[in-house]
Amino acid sequence: VDPIIAASHIITSLQSIVSRNVAPLDSAVVSVTKIEGGTAFNIIPPTVLFTGTLRTFLPETRDLVLKQFSRIITQVSYAFNCESEISIKSITLPVINNSILSNIMRLTALSLKSNINIDQNFRTMGSEDMSFLMKEIPGCFIMIGSANDEKGLNYPHHHPRFDIDESCLPNAVALITQGILNILNESPNLV
C-alpha cells in the first residue's frame, strides 16, 4: 500500500472538480498547496498529509464542490487500498458589501478623482476575516490600486515579489476619510 501514489492520484483528480462540475459562469477554486510524506528515499511511508484551499462564491456551489471533494478522496483512496481522513475547516465567510455603503463610497471616489476606474463587478477569491465583522455590521470592502509598472511593483498578491507603491496611500486615506463623513451625513443609521 503506497499512500504517495494514492495521494498523487487524488490531487490530480481534485483538479477536475471545478472544470467538470462547476458552471462556467460560476467560480470555484480547489488547490492542494502542501504535501508531507516520507522520510527516506527507499521507504514507503505509512501516511501522506496534504492540505490546501477550497473557495466558492455561492453556497450551493460550495456544497457541490465539497460533495465531489469527499467523493474523490474517499473513492480514490479505496481504489489504492488506503484509508482517508478528511478535515475541512471553514476559515472565513464570503465578503458581501452593503449596497448602500458601496454606492456612497463609489460616489465619494468619483468626487475625489475624475479619472478613477471603478469596477463594481470585480470579484475575488480572497479569503478575508473582515467577513466576520461585515456579517454583523454593514460594511464595504474596497481595493485601492497600488500597482506601478514603471517601478516594477505590479506582481499579484502572494507572489514573492509583491509590494505596493506607497504613493497610493494618501488617496486611500482621503477616500476613507471623506467616505466616513459622507456615510455619517447620508446614512447615519448604518453606523
Side-chain angles (χ1 to χ4, degrees):
V1 176
D2 188 342
I4 290 181
I5 297 296
S8 300
H9 281 272
I10 290 168
I11 292 166
T12 300
S13 297
L14 290 176
Q15 297 310 300
S16 70
I17 292 175
V18 175
S19 66
R20 296 296 178 256
N21 296 278
V22 177
L25 298 179
D26 193 2
S27 296
V29 171
V30 176
S31 294
V32 174
T33 58
K34 181 180 177 184
I35 303 171
E36 297 175 5
T39 57
F41 76 94
N42 61 347
I43 300 172
I44 295 174
T47 61
V48 171
L49 171 69
F50 56 91
T51 61
T53 187
L54 184 153
R55 300 173 188 207
T56 65
F57 282 111
L58 302 174
E60 55 271 20
T61 304
R62 179 177 172 77
D63 293 343
L64 172 69
V65 169
L66 286 172
K67 179 181 172 185
Q68 289 301 105
F69 184 83
S70 295
R71 180 180 289 163
I72 287 170
I73 292 173
T74 303
Q75 293 180 2
V76 173
S77 294
Y78 179 77
F80 284 91
N81 295 315
C82 291
E83 295 178 10
S84 59
E85 182 179 320
I86 301 169
S87 174
I88 297 173
K89 297 177 187 174
S90 292
I91 298 172
T92 62
L93 305 169
V95 174
I96 301 172
N97 285 343
N98 177 279
S99 59
I100 295 169
L101 295 178
S102 296
N103 190 51
I104 292 171
M105 293 305 292
R106 181 183 63 80
L107 294 173
T108 302
L110 289 171
S111 72
L112 293 176
K113 199 167 183 179
S114 60
N115 65 345
I116 193 165
N117 177 19
I118 298 175
D119 184 352
Q120 291 180 268
N121 295 315
F122 179 76
R123 293 170 29 155
T124 178
M125 288 288 185
S127 177
E128 180 56 55
D129 57 4
M130 190 70 179
S131 61
F132 294 109
L133 181 63
M134 290 172 64
K135 181 181 178 198
E136 304 298 324
I137 301 167
C140 178
F141 195 89
I142 300 169
M143 296 180 127
I144 305 292
S146 67
N148 185 325
D149 293 336
E150 293 173 7
K151 293 182 179 180
L153 300 173
N154 53 2
Y155 292 92
H157 292 98
H158 305 292
H159 187 282
R161 295 187 62 193
F162 171 77
D163 199 358
I164 68 167
D165 180 359
E166 293 182 5
S167 68
C168 75
L169 296 178
N171 291 334
V173 171
L175 174 60
I176 293 169
T177 303
Q178 188 59 54
I180 290 168
L181 294 173
N182 291 348
I183 290 166
L184 290 172
N185 285 329
E186 297 173 33
S187 296
N189 59 329
L190 285 176
V191 193

